[in-house]
Each structure stands twice: as structure tokens, then as C-alpha cells.
Amino acid sequence: MVVEHAELTVEEGREAEFEEVFGKAREVLAEADGFRWAELLRGEERPRTFLLLVGWESVEAHTAGFRESERFARWRALVGPFFAAPPAVEHFRELGSRFTG
């Protein structure tokens, strides 16, 4: 499994609206083949910045499977209008279990 790390910068004043719309966009993600989970975090120091973490079966499940599908077009139509800059996306491979307290 890999984790997509996407830093999203939202237009000023549209943060709350983005959070609301993201609930619908998450449903589109969940329909994708190879999707495992998603988490959205909001920056404390930079409140216009959101960190989207998505678990995928593989990089290809995200880049070829999802991004080349009609689901990506639907996802982008929902969240894209809020972006102040293009998302910065990278993929990370899990190295072991998560630490818990």
C-alpha cells in the first residue's frame, strides 16, 4: 500500500465551503478501485492549507486507475474550483504499523 500526500491551498475565505464540499468529494474517492482510506487535515499555522492523505493499493491505482477515470473528473469538478494553486502530490510507501499511544 502507498499513501498519497497532497498539499492543497484553498482560496482565502473559502475554507469552510471547501470542507463541506470535500465530504461529497470523499464519496467519489471511495468509489475508486484500489482506494483504501482518506483523511483531510487543516493547517493550524496556515489555515488555507489542507493535507489530503489517501491510502491506495499502489501508485498505479491512483495515477492510472483513478486519475485516468471519469471519477477523477467528478472529484476535480467538486474540489478544483477552490484551489488557489495546483496541488503538490507525492506518494509514500508504508514501512510498518502506525505508532499509537
Side-chain angles (χ1 to χ4, degrees):
M1 185 172 85
V2 297
V3 176
E4 171 192 357
H5 173 284
E7 187 171 306
L8 314 172
T9 303
V10 172
E11 292 178 353
E12 190 170 354
R14 301 192 71 196
E15 300 88 351
E17 186 183 0
F18 172 75
E19 289 180 37
E20 184 179 321
V21 167
F22 189 81
K24 295 175 186 155
R26 180 177 289 171
E27 293 172 10
V28 175
L29 274 176
E31 297 171 3
D33 294 334
F35 170 85
R36 294 289 181 230
W37 53 268
E39 182 175 7
L40 183 67
L41 306 167
R42 185 172 179 184
E44 286 291 316
E45 292 80 14
R46 297 180 297 146
R48 291 179 46 215
T49 302
F50 291 80
L51 177 60
L52 173 61
L53 301 173
V54 183
W56 295 100
E57 271 182 17
S58 64
V59 171
E60 294 75 23
H62 174 227
T63 58
F66 178 65
R67 293 197 79 181
E68 294 179 9
S69 74
E70 59 82 25
R71 288 182 184 102
F72 179 74
R74 289 189 306 159
W75 182 84
R76 192 61 183 233
L78 288 165
V79 298
F82 295 94
F83 296 161
V89 178
E90 297 179 287
H91 296 91
F92 294 84
R93 182 157 311 280
E94 289 187 328
L95 297 178
S97 301
R98 289 184 179 169
F99 293 100
T100 59

